[in-house]
Amino acid sequence: MDYRTLPVSKWDEHHVRCWLESTGIKKEYIEKLYEEEVTGPALVALDDSFLRGIGMKGGQIHVLTHKRKELLQLQQNTEEAKHSTSTTPDRTAAQTDPVTPRNGSAQNTSSGDNGGPVDKSSRENTASTSGKRQRRSNNSQLTSTDDHLELSNCRPFRSQNTDFKYVKDKVLSPESGVNDLITPCHEYKSFAVAAELNKNQLQSKFASEVIRFASACMNIRTNGTIHFGIMDSIEDRAHKHGQIVGIKVKEREHYVDALDYIEKCFCEDLQEIARKCIHPPVFVEVISKDSQEQRFVVEVDIEPTSSLVKGKFFEVYLPKYNEGSHKVTLTKDRALYQRLGAKSEPVKPNNLATFIRGLKDRDTQREKAELSSAEVHTQIPQNLGRKLSILLNDGKSCMDDSLWYILVTNRCEKENLNHINFLMHLNIFCVFDFDENSNISGLYSKYKEHHATRSYFLQDFSNEGKTGNSLAQKHLSPFDQTSWIFCNGRSDFLGDEKPCDENTWIRTKKKYLKKAVTRICDEILPKGSFIVLFLLLSPVQKPLVDAFQEFYAEMNGTEYIVCIAECRENYEKWAHLAQVSCSIEMLEQCSVVGMKLSHVDATIQAMLPSTAQPRHLPVFMRGLCTLPSLEEEKLFSLEILCVDQCDDIKLDLLTEKEIQEIEQSFYRGKKITWENFWLADKGLCGEIIEREACKDASKLLDDILRGREFNYSVAKLKIFHHPGSGGSTIARQVLWKRRKDLRCAVIKASYPPVTVCEHALAFRDYEEKDISCCLPVLLLIEDYDEDYLEELRTELMDAVASRKTNSPRPYFILMCCRRSNDPARLCKASPLDTVAVTHKLTDSEKILFKTKLEKLRQKDIKPEFILTFVLMCEEFNATYVRDFVAHILQDIDRSSRDTCLMRYVALLNFYVPNSYVSLSHCEAFLGLGVYTERKTRAYDFKSHLSEQARMIFIELKESTSYISSVQIIHCLVAREILHQLSGNEPQSQLAMTLLQEKTLFGNRFGQEEFIKFIRDLFIRRDKRSRGDSTDTLFSPFIEHVCKAEGCEKAIAVLKAAYELIGKDAFFAQQLARLHYNNEKFREAEYWAEVAKLHSPDDSYILDTEGQVYRKWFSFTVDKMTQEDTPESIIQKIEMALKAMRCFRAAQQAAKAERDSMNNAGYFGEVEVGCRLLKFLSTLHVFCVNPDRESSELVKYLTTDYIPKDIEKAWGRLHGRLKGLRQNLYNALEWISEDLSYFQTDKNHEKEEEDKKDEKEEQIYNPRKWLKRQSEVYARFFTSASLLEESKGGPGSQLMRRMNIYRSGGGSVTNILSFLTDKKENRSAEKLENILSLYTENPLRDRLEDNDLINYILCHITLACLAPGSARLLPMQTLRELSVRFFKGKRPFPASAHFLLTLLYWPDEALDKEPNPDKDEILNTALHTLKRLYDIKMKDVPTRKKRIYTHFFLGKGYGLGRNTHTMLFKTLHVAGFADKAI
């Protein structure tokens, strides 16, 4: 049976476990309590000592006891309600039914006065005594057996305010009797049945109730209100007494006219008095979220003023509808009614005389009450300034400039535009503007004069996620420019987005508002990082209220919602409509009402942490120019450093503690800020150490500015640094020092290079008189991707080149600062523009660091809280780091939640560079939201961490999403934490546990980054080109698990990651690779199929499938024995052919991929094909002849010949094997063409290793690999004996071509590679030998196209090596041979047109006379080359595939003028690379 249907006393341990799982308690504690057989009675009796005895920690105990208290209270209330409904069914008992607020009695919410809002002074006291932002609890909620119903206030007595509304299903205070005669007594009637009756029945019933109630009030001399549409009985179990339900009002006149019964029911001389005392009905609308049906509460006020009723008593008839005659009759006798408690009862005959004698006393009491109420009470003014301060900044002296604001507003009148200056200084994330004229004459027209914005309509804003233009995407800069959302169209817009009325808006646009609010609160801004500010500047309409309701629902209350309204009428209309979601009392708490807008403006500006002074930039003429916020925000991809940076900070608001916190944060490991430099310059904190590398960087910068070495329009200054060594600090020190001489900025690398380039140019030109004479711009880019940097540099150089102006100094200097595990190596590779920053300190630096540490200790700063600086002082000595971390972790609770978090963060930080975990993830994991109710967000997180966690965690703010995050202070500390806290638990188990943390994977904010870091943990490989110390086959984590725990554990954790992170194709790909690298080929085959199933057209995944079969084939061949059967040999061949088929599929997929060039399929096909040829040559059926040639195999592969032994057995293989030669040829030709086009990433440090390790040769020296594989390929298709047999036939041509191939002359790249041979004589001899293999008269004996290309290129190459060779043909002859490539109608490869450009480039010796035909050949060749290049490049950025320069045009004539690139490389000693050409 479900535990929810049983009392706790009857629960067994299974019921208790189910309930515990609903509370959020950690699973391990739930299992322990289950093992201890904790039943329901035991659960009630649990105490703190027992829970701690089973290992439960304080936070979990707090949650359990809190949830148990709620459970027991709920069951107690249920039992009381059952007892109440069974023993007191009468109406009087209903009045004492405990329908009370959650945190107080009903009287606390609505008692005493006329039913209006809560007393203002009490509200002010609530606001003024709060020193922190508090979660405002709903004081008007009540507990019911089924639902939580909220108490509501009655309409103020005699109020005709049409904005006042009731909310359906809220509850009014119980019906009341006589109080002080002025405070009205209340009586409720549900009137549900009567409202549906016909006119006569309805009027008689309504008049009867009103007249009886009015007679009672007038006789007692008390004010009163009778309400129709309020539940008056608890007989209906579905409703509470006093619950607002409302009635349908078909015709209001029926209710108004019903009071005409006054003339029939009162004595003639009292009828006029009764008319004056009984006021006309008031129709109060009942609003509801769930229903669009219009309902009302009909109320009649009774006001017996002493001047009217003095000395009189009121006996009345009551109208009654006769069902038989269908007529209204009056009661037989008049009756005198009085208020007895909450009822209107007739005065008994024997008490009549006494009652009449008491009229005089009641008249006297009434007169006194009226006089008392007429006295003018001095109103105590609210301290609205303090309330505003508390609501916006928790009562602190200055506002938190890290908070974002979402503004919701309506029409701003012209006179108010002068008083909204405070908005110009707030971090406004977005504005929901309901003023359709805002762009013309409203708030937007004023705001855009000061700030850059992006304008949207609601529909665009909410639908961007579907079209891929999500606001969360970085290139739309949601944090760098305010998003202005026109919620009701624009009157000046020419499109379809026109303003509409309320009903149309609700029908057509309300859904988009909901989507927009949900996206902001669920995906972009975490709770606590922003405040929603409602600014009511004009009369309110329903859509503005809908906006409040959406934010209220998404933010779970009003904790971070503030409302400001100068006009109380505007506020009250808004509040009465909004109360359908939130009580009036809660709205009052979060609202500042009645304060003049000009006073609000001045008050908020006084609380701002900085003054509104202009910022300045240096100019070429050594002056300054002003940089307004509007212009700065247009350059949103740059963080601009001004001359007077930070001078706008209000020093008087900065306390000594805050200054110390800024300084200490830096020395704990946080990135240095401009405030650190500014405070140091002001002498308000210690000086910042300047390392030797900073001086080196400054010298290199001076050299660049003076134009030494190479004078580029875009120069580079690179700073490579060990993590935590201060590289970022050095880069920013350089910027800070040069901010008055150069224009300085930090690049936000989240924006595309095109955008950054556009902004950098605008930044350079801004306010300069002559754009040809401007200050250089120093741009810092940190932790960049190399491809990104090169693309940015190319964009900047192209932009500068397009201006066609020369400058002695560079336009831009890119200061590139990046972490590296081996900065010294990178510095050696490019010493003229690179600075290395390492952990190693010079002697002078050691003194500086030691002195600084002593000064920090003198400020009572413990070394534990400046750990990064302390470790730097010790040069990150491994032993010191280990001992220091061991000291910190000495008494740590290893089973606590925050220790577990430390291990997770350490795992990511050590294995994934620059990783972090969002603060929102940490809070969700630690369960802080469960019991942290009354403190600010930042304080919550820090105060609930263990002491050890506070020491090793550092809080950061992500630069693109502005989401706060945490990381370990240094990766070496992360490594030690990972090691020391692991104990005997392997890291694979820790990763498994991390993958199962639903709270982390289910948290919304920073989710994209978190998943990326998890993916990197399992997939990202180390690469030396990125600054890593090694190149790895798998991610460092997976490699560690393989080495320390075995490949089975690595496979298991990768499988778990695949299952838990969305069954990603690339995880399956890694599993396939991991399996085949560990010789588990069946499993590798399965995972390759899985990966292909997810991404069937991905060339890299298809290549992995090919690699599975290639490795499998190689493995089986290596393990081959003499006992192998013919069937197993066939299987091996089929496996190799299957690998080749997969590689060809990868080739086709790569061609279709527009944004990448994946050539792995071609390399793979050649690798496996050549290995297959070697394998075939070992089979007995293809025995080797005495000359060590595989002539039998060559004959089989190149002719129709099939040996008898395999004719039938290999029946399904013959066709594919005979196509082997052409397939390999095609792949080799493609690789050759690709290598002739583009530069390679040849690693000179790898050259010696390549001689030993052929596996990496294709990566680091693909030209050498191509030459070697071409020789292998050609060897299996040449045979001297076959050449003799087929003299003059097709076979002889093939053999001759294969001999040329074998000699190194079969492809363009191989021929050109002779130029790189250090022994030129040897290369020349080889080329002459190759030429001797061709026909002696190529003009007569027509060569095939490819043969002709190779033949001509051999001449050009030989001319570079041995210009006097007898084998060289004259230039004119080569031209005549090549003219075929111009005249032929069929397509030729790019190499043919490349030869035409070399041969037909104007030559002073050969082209003395103008020849239009030659010019046409040259122009056509150039255009064709460009066209073929564009086809080849697809949409790949040029920075990723740089053209390879083969020749430079030198002096001379004929073939002698072509100068090969290698000649330049031999002449330059250092720093000369392909990319420099």
Side-chain angles (χ1 to χ4, degrees), residues 401 645-646 649 654 662 672-681 685 688 736:
D401 58 2
Q645 189 78 27
C646 300
I649 293 176
L654 267 182
I662 293 171
I672 198 164
T673 64
W674 305 130
E675 285 82 357
N676 288 110
F677 293 117
W678 185 74
L679 290 170
D681 288 352
C685 69
I688 295 161
W736 182 259

Side-chain angles (χ1 to χ4, degrees), residues 157-173:
F157 186 69
R158 293 293 313 279
S159 171
Q160 298 294 320
N161 183 3
T162 57
D163 292 331
F164 185 87
K165 314 285 182 186
Y166 282 127
V167 179
K168 193 174 186 297
D169 293 329
K170 285 194 177 184
V171 176
L172 298 181
S173 297

